[in-house]
Each structure stands twice: as structure tokens, then as C-alpha cells.
């Protein structure tokens, strides 16, 4: 049952095909921000989703607010560092497709506890790839744009650039890529299991409540009537709405499931247009301008750890555009509008489905 990807040139995006109907999908990290959005989207396409994750990483959480559990056929509570638990979950679910999104994704948390970060991001990925049952045909492992070594060079990173990372989080993502490559080349390709990695830029969108992220920090500051504090205001990031890279993950999985899937089991960048790479201060001010009644004051308080993070990040997604027919559907202005709309909505679950439908043109 191959999946065909249809380009949508008038909007520059990808139409996600409807024949996910009935496919068994295992999604790790479905209680997290990106994973929750992907679970809702896959369920709306008719996929039979099994979610594997620990508890939601924040309170509140998109998982709870949008009742993501109801979108899953089954849920398995499991830490990806538990190899036996991961193996049992995969054996039970017998998925055809695996999306591996479970991660420790906060840079400052990685500075405080690098061992946890290496365990979740590196050992967790190895556990998933080692335990894949024979039912699996395609795997998409989500890593990060921060996996590259020379990100301070000022140019946009391409997939063949050297891997690296000077801080624990970035280094863990580079190591995760090496785990993917090693399993693909020596263990999985010979079994007919196709594994690709996806490297996305900074995402925004409704339902992100993580600590030390710009949008949730601004939302919390607005609710408390306090200023939002920027620790690294001049850092440039490739911002995009969360649905943009998720559409790329779906398009990539579709290609892996197709008759020429072996041409696509490699690394892929999913980033915004070059003009949407903006400094943190710019993003905070634009979000504030869009907030009903005016958002919180923006205040800069330099963090002594700020120098341990990358200042400049840019992604070149030409390969995904040319070979997958993928491109961002919503530009940054539309993504900002959709994000603010979500946080002031009265029915988060309904708005999630409405935004997915609007994004995909259905």
C-alpha cells in the first residue's frame, strides 16, 4: 500500500495523502509538544496510533488540554531508556511505521543534567532501533538542527555538513544521528527496514508549555502580569510553526513506504524560508504585538550560560524541497498568528483540529 506525495505548488507545501487509513503507527513522545500535534494529525488521517511515552513533560500540557490520549488506539507508559520496556511495547504494537520523537529537548536542562540528556536522546534512540519488530517498514527519527558542528559559520547547514555540538544537548543530537546511521547501514537496511532522520529548526505553536522556551515564557509572563525575560536576545533561530516540520515528517515517511523508499533513508533538513530566521528579541516583540490587549514588557537579563549555546542557526532545506516536494505551508507571520490564536482559545482540542485542517487544506 504505497503512499504517493502530491506537491501543492500554489501554497508551496505538501498534501499529506489520505491513505494512512488503518496503518499501525507507533509514536514515541506523544505526550510532548510536537508528539501531541503529530498524534492528533495521524489520527485524523485514520492511522491506528500507539503512543509510547513517559508522563507529560509540563503542567499544563497539550496532551491533556487536547485529550491526545483519545486519539490513540493504545498508550504505553514507558521511558525510552528502559530497553526491555521499549522492546515489549514494539512487540505488542507491531507497527508498520515508527516516528521517534521522545527526547530531552531543553538546552539548559541538558547543561544541568547531561547524563539524563545523553540517556534519553542517545540510549533511547538505540533502544528503539534495536527493538524494531519485523512488522516495521519505515522509521523517522527526529533529531535537531543543533546536531551540526559549524553552526556559527553564518551559512545555512546542509545535510552533509559535519556533525558536532559544543553543549551537551547539541552533542547528544549529533550522537543520535550517529546511532541512526550505524543502525541503518549495518543492522536495518539488510532487513528491509528504512530509517531516516529529520532535523528541524525551532518550532512554535499552541500547546507548548516547556520551561525556557520563548513562547511559553511569554504566555506565562502575560498571565502573571510580569515582564518576559530574554537571556540571549540576539540569538538567531530558524523559527517555524510546528505543523511545517510535521508535514515534512509525514511526507518523508510516505516516501519511505513507497516503491522507491530506499532512495530516501537518509538525513533531511526541515527548516523555514531564509527570511524567517530571526533573533529572539524580534520574535518576542512580534508576539507581544499580536497579544490581545498588548503582551508583557520585554526585558533582557543576560544568562551566564548563554555563551554555551549557539548564537546563529540556519538550515538549508533545499533537498527536502527538491526531492520530497516539501516546503513550509505557513510563513512565520501566519505561524505567529496561529500560535496566539491557540493560547487565547476556549477549546484547545477543537482548535488543534481546525488548524490541522486549515494547514492541510482539507
Amino acid at each position: 500500500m504505497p503512499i504517493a506525495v502530491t506537491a501543492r505548488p500554489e501554497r508551496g507545501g505538501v498534501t499529506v495523502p489520505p491513505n494512512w487509513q488503518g496503518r499501525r503507527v507507533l509514536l514515541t513522545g506523544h505526550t510532548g509538544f510536537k508528539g501531541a500535534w503529530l498524534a492528533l494529525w495521524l489520527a485524523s488521517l485514520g492511522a491506528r496510533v500507539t503512543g509510547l511515552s513517559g508522563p507529560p513533560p509540563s503542567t499544563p500540557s497539550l496532551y491533556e488540554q487536547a485529550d491526545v490520549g483519545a486519539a490513540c488506539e493504545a498508550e504505553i507508559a514507558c521511558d525510552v531508556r528502559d530497553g526491555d520496556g521499549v522492546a515489549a511495547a514494539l512487540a505488542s504494537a507491531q507497527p508498520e511505521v515508527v516516528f521517534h520523537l521522545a527526547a530531552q529537548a531543553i538546552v539548559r536542562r541538558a547543561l544541568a543534567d547531561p547524563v539524563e540528556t545523553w540517556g534519553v536522546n542517545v540510549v533511547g534512540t538505540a533502544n528503539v532501533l534495536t527493538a524494531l519488530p519485523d512488522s516495521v517498514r519505515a522509521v523517522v527519527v527526529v533529531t535537531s538542527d543543533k546536531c551540526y558542528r559549524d553552526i556559527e559559520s553564518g551559512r545555512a547547514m546542509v545535510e552533509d555538513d559535519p556533525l558536532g555540538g559544543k553543549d551537551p544537548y547539541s552533542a547528544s543530537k549529533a550522537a543520535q544521528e550517529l546511532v541512526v546511521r550505524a543502525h541503518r547501514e549495518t543492522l536495518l537496511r539488510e532487513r528491509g527496514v528504512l530509517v531516516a532522520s529529520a532535523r528541524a529548526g525551532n518550532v512554535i505553536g499552541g500547546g507548548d508549555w516547556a520551561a525556557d522556551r520563548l513562547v511559553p515564557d511569554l504566555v506565562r509572563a502575560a498571565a502573571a502580569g510580569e515582564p518576559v525575560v530574554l537571556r540571549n536576545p540576539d540569538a538567531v533561530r530558524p523559527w517555524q510553526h510546528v505543523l511545517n516540520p510535521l508535514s515534512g515528517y509525514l511526507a518523508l515517511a510516505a516516501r519511505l513506504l513507497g516503491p522507491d523508499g530506499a532512495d530516501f533513508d537518509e538525513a533531511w533538513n526541515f527548516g523555514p524560508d531564509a527570511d524567517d530566521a530571526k533573533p529572539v528579541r524580534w520574535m518576542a516583540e512580534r508576539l507581544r504585538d499580536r497579544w490581545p490587549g498588548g503582551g508583557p514588557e520585554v526585558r533582557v537579563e543576560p544568562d551566564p550560560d548563554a555563551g554555551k549555546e549557539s548564537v546563529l542557526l540556519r538550515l538549508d532545506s533545499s533537498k527536502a524541497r527538491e526531492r520530497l516536494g516539501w516546503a513550509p505551508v505557513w510563513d512565520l507571520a501566519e505561524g505567529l498568528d496561529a500560535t496566539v490564536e491557540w493560547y487565547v482559545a476556549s477549546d484547545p482540542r477543537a482548535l488543534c483540529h481546525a488548524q490541522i485542517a486549515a494547514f492541510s487544506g482539507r
Side-chain angles (χ1 to χ4, degrees), residues 5-15 273 321 324-329:
V5 177
T6 304
R8 202 152 33 110
E10 73 277 7
R11 292 185 63 190
V14 169
T15 299
D273 293 334
R321 292 171 181 267
L324 295 179
W326 174 88
V329 174

Side-chain angles (χ1 to χ4, degrees), residues 256-322:
L256 293 173
L257 289 166
D260 56 349
D263 294 334
F264 297 91
D265 63 339
E266 52 195 68
W268 299 84
N269 286 344
F270 295 102
D273 293 334
D275 290 344
D276 285 343
K278 299 292 186 184
V280 170
R281 188 196 303 268
W282 185 97
M283 282 289 292
E285 291 172 347
R286 295 311 182 278
L287 281 164
R288 181 180 183 277
D289 291 344
R290 285 169 164 79
W291 202 260
E297 173 193 351
V298 175
R299 180 181 299 172
V300 175
E301 294 181 5
D303 186 329
D305 286 332
K308 299 175 183 178
E309 298 181 44
S310 302
V311 175
L312 179 65
L313 284 174
R314 298 182 189 275
L315 280 183
D316 184 330
S317 303
S318 300
K319 187 171 83 167
R321 292 171 181 267
E322 294 166 5

Side-chain angles (χ1 to χ4, degrees), residues 144 193 214 229 239 257 263 268 274 280 293 328 340:
S144 171
V193 180
L214 178 59
V229 176
W239 307 97
L257 289 166
D263 294 334
W268 299 84
V280 170
V340 172

Side-chain angles (χ1 to χ4, degrees), residues 2-362:
I3 296 178
V5 177
T6 304
R8 202 152 33 110
E10 73 277 7
R11 292 185 63 190
V14 169
T15 299
V16 178
N19 50 344
W20 285 89
Q21 186 69 42
R23 286 187 186 272
R24 297 187 308 279
V25 177
L26 185 132
L27 169 60
T28 73
H30 74 294
T31 62
F33 168 53
K34 289 173 76 173
W37 274 103
L38 185 55
L40 293 173
W41 199 345
L42 283 165
S44 76
L45 294 169
R48 298 170 57 190
V49 180
T50 294
L52 183 153
S53 185
S58 63
T59 301
S61 68
L62 177 60
Y63 171 80
E64 294 170 337
Q65 291 176 301
D67 195 14
V68 173
C72 299
E73 183 173 278
E75 296 184 272
I76 300 171
C78 181
D79 188 319
V80 290
R81 291 172 291 184
D82 176 3
D84 290 341
V86 169
L90 281 159
S92 173
Q94 290 292 302
E96 183 180 2
V97 183
V98 173
F99 290 95
H100 178 45
L101 275 68
Q104 196 301 98
I106 305 300
V107 174
R108 293 181 74 193
R109 181 169 171 176
L111 291 170
D113 191 348
V115 172
E116 175 203 30
T117 301
W118 284 84
V120 175
N121 294 350
V122 183
V123 176
T125 300
N127 284 338
V128 170
L129 295 181
T130 300
L132 297 175
D134 291 339
S135 61
V136 175
R137 295 177 53 201
V139 183
V140 175
V141 177
V142 175
T143 64
S144 171
D145 60 342
K146 297 174 183 64
C147 69
Y148 293 108
R149 187 180 70 195
D150 300 321
I151 53 181
E152 305 289 1
S153 66
R155 65 178 180 81
M157 296 290 102
V158 297
E159 288 86 349
D160 291 335
D161 281 328
L163 300 171
K166 67 179 182 180
D167 63 273
Y169 172 76
S170 301
S172 78
K173 287 300 181 177
Q176 186 182 21
E177 287 280 353
L178 295 177
V179 169
V180 172
R181 183 188 302 168
H183 279 74
R184 176 198 300 129
E185 300 293 335
T186 63
L187 298 171
L188 296 175
R189 189 175 283 163
E190 64 187 22
R191 290 176 48 195
V193 180
L194 301 179
V195 183
S197 62
R199 305 164 180 175
N202 289 53
V203 295
I204 61 172
D208 186 2
W209 295 104
D212 295 322
R213 281 191 187 152
L214 178 59
V215 172
D217 282 353
L218 185 142
V219 173
R220 284 187 286 263
E226 299 174 348
V228 61
V229 176
L230 308 183
R231 69 179 190 276
N232 198 2
D234 298 321
V236 175
R237 297 289 184 263
W239 307 97
Q240 57 185 327
H241 191 273
V242 64
L243 294 180
N244 280 332
L246 293 186
S247 72
Y249 306 164
L250 289 168
L252 178 55
R255 290 295 195 189
L256 293 173
L257 289 166
D260 56 349
D263 294 334
F264 297 91
D265 63 339
E266 52 195 68
W268 299 84
N269 286 344
F270 295 102
D273 293 334
D275 290 344
D276 285 343
K278 299 292 186 184
V280 170
R281 188 196 303 268
W282 185 97
M283 282 289 292
E285 291 172 347
R286 295 311 182 278
L287 281 164
R288 181 180 183 277
D289 291 344
R290 285 169 164 79
W291 202 260
E297 173 193 351
V298 175
R299 180 181 299 172
V300 175
E301 294 181 5
D303 186 329
D305 286 332
K308 299 175 183 178
E309 298 181 44
S310 302
V311 175
L312 179 65
L313 284 174
R314 298 182 189 275
L315 280 183
D316 184 330
S317 303
S318 300
K319 187 171 83 167
R321 292 171 181 267
E322 294 166 5
R323 293 179 55 196
L324 295 179
W326 174 88
V329 174
W330 284 348
D331 63 19
L332 186 53
E334 292 171 303
L336 288 166
D337 289 341
T339 299
V340 172
E341 178 189 30
W342 192 96
Y343 282 104
V344 300
S346 59
D347 188 340
R349 177 179 173 83
L351 188 55
C352 283
H353 286 292
Q355 289 188 345
I356 290 169
F359 181 93
S360 57
R362 290 181 286 116

